[in-house]
Amino acid sequence: MRKVYTRPRLLKRVPFHYCPGCGHSVVHRVMTELIDEMNLGDRIIGIPPPGCSVFAYHYFDVDMAESAHGRGAAVATGIKRAFPEAIVFTYQGDGDLAAIGTAETIHAANRGERITAIFINNAVYGMTGGQMAPTTLSDQVTTTTPYGRDTKIEGYPIRMSEIVALIRGAVYIERTAVNSPANIRKTKKAIRKAFQAQIDDLGFSLVEILSPCPTNWRMTPLESWQWIDKVMTKEFPLGVIKDITGKNDAD
Amino acid sequence: MSSGKTGSKIKGYIEIDQELCKGCQICIAFCPKDVISLSDKLNSSGYLPVLFNDSGECTGCAICAVVCPEVAIEVYRG
Ligand SMILES: Cc1ncc(C[n+]2csc(CCOP(=O)(O)OP(=O)(O)O)c2C)c(N)n1
Ligand code: SF4
Ligand code: SF4
Ligand code: SF4
Ligand SMILES: [Mg+2]
């Protein structure tokens, strides 16, 4: 018998510290597979954030440089400008990219930085105990919205991808999810296109990934994967939000 | 229908790393052939991992491996 599925070469042989069913693990695997397939292992530099994925560099067997909270796009800008031949990506949570890092992200996109943001939207501040994030859904219960998010007091779930899509320097933006085999494959394809936009020197790219956080959503892993389809995608619809790379294919 | 009959050709096979598995049961939910089930023996991290039931029905489709967050599954096809 032929081995048809094995651990990606660029994923270090260590167990993940993530909770059972967490989406970060799935994204790490998909990304390390893709980086190898695109032959970028020696060229890519990742910027992990404060957040549950703070130790991403324990898993990705590629160069990485940790950033301060929300500063991913700024750090990536510096690295890319110093090493224009590098493919540079930030890996950021929603508390990171959509709250403390909003300004960096918008201005990096506006400058058309040739970097890629991998934006993990799990609708909470995962690492710090499940507090409300800007992306938390209306009525969603979190540790800081124990009666559900009241949009009159706490505002609305922010759609960062749609906001960044308005910016001229942003060339490829897609929202995907890691909650089913088909969606996981689409996530990989979206990141491939985002990296390609950078390789082709076109501008800023961003892939927003709806990602289960069973622990802070107080759900079983399977319930959290299903909740993305049933609830989260109603607020954050999946699909290509912007593509001016001139490379859109038939699907 | 034809579960585990002698002579039936095994098309697929998976290996589940009992130490990496965190028992999230996502693979159980997505396996179209229902050939994965929960173990009753804890692993050293304190999780109940899952086991492959080699009944001959696995097709080696790799759906379990695509969804497994822990990369605990290797898939063979033949
Ligand atoms: C300047 C600064 N402020 C606050 C924190 C505390 N902190 C660490 S992670 C985090 C939010 C994490 O949420 P998110 O970005 O959504 O990532 P997740 O854990 O959900 O993947 C915060 C507020 C910090 N590390 N640095
Ligand atoms: S708290 Fe949520 S995001 Fe963090 S590791 Fe656990 S499941 Fe993943
Ligand atoms: S390879 Fe397919 S049929 Fe076999 S155990 Fe995995 S999901 Fe089930
Ligand atoms: S999906 Fe992976 S970690 Fe989860 S129960 Fe199955 S083998 Fe274990
Ligand atoms: Mg988060």
Side-chain angles (χ1 to χ4, degrees):
Chain A
M1 271 205 211
R2 191 164 50 89
K3 205 184 249 190
V4 291
Y5 200 97
T6 193
R7 192 179 184 83
R9 206 174 55 89
L10 295 178
L11 191 61
K12 294 181 196 167
R13 285 217 149 262
V14 285
F16 287 125
H17 70 282
Y18 301 113
C19 309
C22 176
H24 279 300
S25 318
V26 179
V27 178
H28 286 14
R29 189 195 70 233
V30 162
M31 289 188 70
T32 47
E33 262 173 30
L34 178 67
I35 291 167
D36 203 17
E37 283 168 27
M38 294 181 79
N39 222 352
L40 295 175
D42 296 333
R43 247 182 107 184
I44 204 153
I45 303 175
I47 320 290
C52 281
S53 54
V54 65
F55 294 135
Y57 54 81
H58 281 325
Y59 310 123
F60 284 74
D61 201 0
V62 306
D63 286 340
M64 289 196 138
E66 190 73 32
S67 90
H69 203 17
R71 306 288 102 90
V75 173
T77 296
I79 290 179
K80 182 73 180 192
R81 288 185 176 211
F83 301 111
E85 69 285 1
I87 300 306
V88 182
F89 72 90
T90 66
Y91 187 103
Q92 303 178 259
D94 43 356
D96 191 86
L97 185 143
I100 193 169
T102 313
E104 279 79 358
T105 302
I106 286 177
H107 287 289
N110 193 48
R111 293 190 306 269
E113 298 295 343
R114 275 64 168 157
I115 60 175
T116 301
I118 305 298
F119 169 33
I120 309 296
N121 181 357
N122 57 14
V124 283
Y125 285 35
M127 182 205 200
T128 45
Q131 294 87 354
M132 188 192 85
T135 46
T136 293
L137 304 190
S138 311
D139 300 323
Q140 185 182 335
V141 173
T142 69
T143 47
T144 46
T145 54
Y147 304 107
R149 181 178 190 165
D150 180 348
T151 52
K152 211 168 161 190
I153 298 169
E154 284 116 10
Y156 297 89
I158 197 165
R159 295 183 181 155
M160 280 304 288
S161 290
E162 282 81 351
I163 292 171
V164 175
L166 295 172
I167 296 170
R168 270 198 272 173
V171 295
Y172 192 82
I173 300 182
E174 181 166 350
R175 185 183 289 116
T176 68
V178 282
N179 69 334
S180 70
N183 282 345
I184 291 168
R185 291 194 181 99
K186 279 187 199 157
T187 297
K188 185 168 168 182
K189 201 170 162 198
I191 300 173
R192 179 188 290 277
K193 287 189 183 165
F195 283 163
Q196 194 60 49
Q198 187 180 159
I199 293 166
D200 295 340
D201 204 30
L202 298 176
F204 184 85
S205 52
L206 182 149
V207 180
E208 173 177 349
I209 302 165
L210 306 185
S211 176
C213 174
T215 300
N216 286 304
W217 296 355
R218 308 285 193 268
M219 294 178 196
T220 66
L222 185 60
E223 284 166 356
S224 73
W225 284 43
Q226 292 169 337
W227 191 76
I228 290 181
D229 276 338
K230 279 191 235 152
V231 180
M232 212 178 169
T233 52
K234 307 290 182 283
E235 182 66 43
F236 298 110
L238 303 184
V240 177
I241 294 164
K242 181 176 191 181
D243 182 359
I244 53 165
T245 61
K247 295 198 173 207
N248 27 353
D249 54 15
D251 66 29
Chain B
M1 291 176 117
S2 63
S3 59
K5 264 195 229 140
T6 33
S8 71
K9 237 187 156 167
I10 298 174
K11 288 181 289 178
Y13 179 82
I14 65 167
E15 277 173 4
I16 304 167
D17 188 318
Q18 297 296 295
E19 284 303 311
L20 282 182
C21 172
K22 291 183 184 160
C24 71
Q25 303 181 48
I26 293 287
C27 55
I28 296 181
F30 283 98
C31 170
K33 297 294 175 186
D34 213 8
V35 289
I36 308 173
S37 59
L38 202 60
S39 165
D40 54 10
K41 267 201 0 238
L42 293 174
N43 65 18
S44 65
S45 308
Y47 292 113
L48 283 177
V50 295
L51 301 166
F52 174 55
N53 314 311
D54 196 359
S55 61
E57 282 166 296
C58 170
T59 59
C61 67
I63 284 173
C64 53
V66 169
V67 295
C68 174
E70 307 306 327
V71 207
I73 302 180
E74 292 199 311
V75 184
Y76 299 82
R77 200 183 299 150

